[in-house]
Amino acid sequence: MQLLKLESQHFYTSQAASPAYSQVCSDDEYADIDWDSIGFGLTPTDYMYVTKTSQQDDGFTEGQLKQYGNIELSPSAGVLNYGQGLFEGMKAIRREDGQIVLFRPDENALRMKVGAERMCMPSPTTTQFIDAVKQTTLANKRWIPPPGKGSLYMRPMLLGTGPILGLGPAPEYMFLVYASPVRNYFKEGSAPLSLYVEQEFDRASRGGTGGIKTISNYGPALRPLVKAKSKGFSDVLYLDSVDGKYVEEVSSCNIFMVKGNTISTPPIKGTILPGVTRKSIIEIARDLGYNVEERPVPVEELLEADEVFGTGTAVGVAPVGCITHNSRRVEYRTGDNSVSKRLLSTYMAIQNGLLEDKKGWIVELS
């Protein structure tokens, strides 16, 4: 397998820094795919970033870009036997002027660090994390969709790869980043979502791992998700595991409700993932003059809201058209005059350089 080791400071500033970069990522070249038909599925790209460490090492070594492909794991790897793994999700966007940008990658790096501490894993530094994402993005530049056609979804992963039989932290770890061009997460596209309130299964419990992005959170969510989709719903909305009456989050995103000029969302207290998009939308909403509350939201109150929407890296800001709870179906305001539409427009304008980035959220790749 071909390996390509790149010095970060040269890789960003000159297309001539690497023959592979020049071959794969020329400015006027796009991958030969139909950009209008991509959804949120895996499209293998050219390169992935890989670095490793062990319990004896002092952090992760300098990583390498290698051709995208399978990785080799022991059958007794910690990630396979005990679910010792984390992942992140973020996007690289191509603006109209050709500039490639990332959105708040430092927040993803911090969330991985917090998750790694909970899972007894070493984590890359913020600098290493962002550097790896930048290298992977630029090495796969031809896979970044044209402006308005989607984004390059970046998937950083932290895996316990070392072999271990008894329950304990793995002796070795791998940090890797791969990428895939994507567009809309839901098959509905930008159409309003239909959510089903799940009452049989819980997503997370107090003292558990609901507040970190561990791989072990997602497998158990498949059964209720498949059940909901078989009934025609877009996704599942979970309630708290203690009382079963407070809204927590959707399988794929955080949840917000609007009543008058007030926007409410459940607080981050260990069972809800601290979404980067969630955090950003809260700041944007306050800047636009909305009263934003982070507080427990009873499901009965949600059913009386004017508007409901979800936020997440994959979904962006997704309007909810209806929610079904105990056979009761409630519809919500959507469309051009909705709060979620205004928030999404502002959020995307910042990402696309149409509004000034006053908060330092945008990282440009030259």
Side-chain angles (χ1 to χ4, degrees), residues 35-42 91 145 148-151 153 181-191 193 313-319 344 348:
W35 298 109
D36 292 318
S37 66
I38 62 172
F40 201 90
L42 178 64
K91 292 177 178 178
K149 299 288 187 179
S151 58
Y153 184 81
V182 298
R183 204 161 185 178
N184 294 315
Y185 181 81
F186 292 105
K187 65 179 179 63
E188 293 91 342
S190 58
L193 306 180
T313 297
V315 307
V317 180
L344 175 61
M348 293 184 63

Side-chain angles (χ1 to χ4, degrees), residues 202-363:
D202 298 324
R203 178 192 170 273
S205 60
R206 289 189 299 182
T209 58
I212 63 173
K213 208 167 177 65
T214 173
I215 61 175
S216 54
N217 285 344
Y218 293 85
L222 295 178
R223 183 177 175 186
L225 179 62
V226 169
K227 181 181 72 172
K229 286 183 176 293
S230 71
K231 296 179 179 180
F233 296 102
S234 309
D235 209 333
V236 175
L237 175 60
Y238 289 96
L239 304 180
D240 74 285
S241 63
V242 177
D243 300 306
K245 67 177 184 179
Y246 294 101
V247 173
E248 292 232 311
E249 64 179 293
V250 181
S251 303
S252 56
C253 56
N254 296 116
I255 194 80
F256 288 76
M257 61 164 273
V258 181
K259 190 71 173 180
N261 194 56
T262 298
I263 301 174
S264 303
T265 190
I268 301 298
K269 291 187 176 180
T271 58
I272 295 174
L273 190 70
V276 178
T277 309
R278 173 190 181 276
K279 183 176 182 179
S280 305
I281 289 300
I282 288 175
E283 291 190 49
I284 290 172
R286 286 175 173 154
D287 289 345
L288 292 175
Y290 293 101
N291 176 40
V292 181
E293 301 176 339
E294 296 181 74
R295 61 174 178 82
V297 178
V299 64
E300 295 299 332
E301 184 179 347
L302 183 77
L303 298 178
E304 301 299 324
D306 300 329
E307 188 178 331
V308 176
F309 61 89
T311 65
T313 297
V315 307
V317 180
V320 174
C322 62
I323 292 178
T324 298
H325 175 54
N326 286 336
S327 300
R328 177 187 175 190
R329 184 177 185 271
V330 177
E331 296 186 355
Y332 300 97
R333 178 182 65 208
T334 59
D336 291 341
N337 295 323
S338 65
V339 173
S340 64
K341 180 68 172 180
R342 186 183 183 194
L343 293 173
L344 175 61
S345 297
T346 306
Y347 172 73
M348 293 184 63
I350 294 172
Q351 290 187 331
N352 290 308
L354 302 178
L355 281 178
E356 181 183 357
D357 173 26
K358 298 179 179 179
K359 301 177 183 290
W361 287 350
I362 301 298
V363 174

Side-chain angles (χ1 to χ4, degrees), residues 112-222:
M112 176 169 279
K113 183 178 186 299
V114 171
E117 291 174 355
R118 176 66 175 84
M119 300 291 287
C120 297
M121 306 171 74
S123 63
T125 66
T126 298
T127 299
Q128 286 175 321
F129 182 100
I130 296 176
D131 178 72
V133 172
K134 285 181 175 180
Q135 289 197 39
T136 310
T137 300
L138 291 176
N140 294 296
K141 186 177 179 181
R142 73 191 186 106
W143 295 95
I144 304 175
K149 299 288 187 179
S151 58
L152 186 66
Y153 184 81
M154 313 301 297
R155 176 56 66 85
M157 301 188 73
L158 184 60
L159 308 174
T161 52
I164 186 167
L165 185 60
L167 179 60
E172 300 167 2
Y173 297 87
M174 176 185 294
F175 173 61
L176 65 86
V177 185
Y178 71 90
S180 176
V182 298
R183 204 161 185 178
N184 294 315
Y185 181 81
F186 292 105
K187 65 179 179 63
E188 293 91 342
S190 58
L193 306 180
S194 172
L195 301 182
Y196 173 78
V197 179
E198 177 59 53
Q199 294 181 282
E200 179 182 1
F201 299 101
D202 298 324
R203 178 192 170 273
S205 60
R206 289 189 299 182
T209 58
I212 63 173
K213 208 167 177 65
T214 173
I215 61 175
S216 54
N217 285 344
Y218 293 85
L222 295 178

Side-chain angles (χ1 to χ4, degrees), residues 91-121:
K91 292 177 178 178
I93 298 169
R94 189 190 301 268
R95 291 177 170 176
E96 289 288 349
D97 62 1
Q99 179 72 58
I100 307 301
V101 301
L102 301 173
F103 185 76
R104 308 190 77 173
D106 57 312
E107 291 289 336
N108 297 92
L110 176 61
R111 188 167 64 181
M112 176 169 279
K113 183 178 186 299
V114 171
E117 291 174 355
R118 176 66 175 84
M119 300 291 287
C120 297
M121 306 171 74

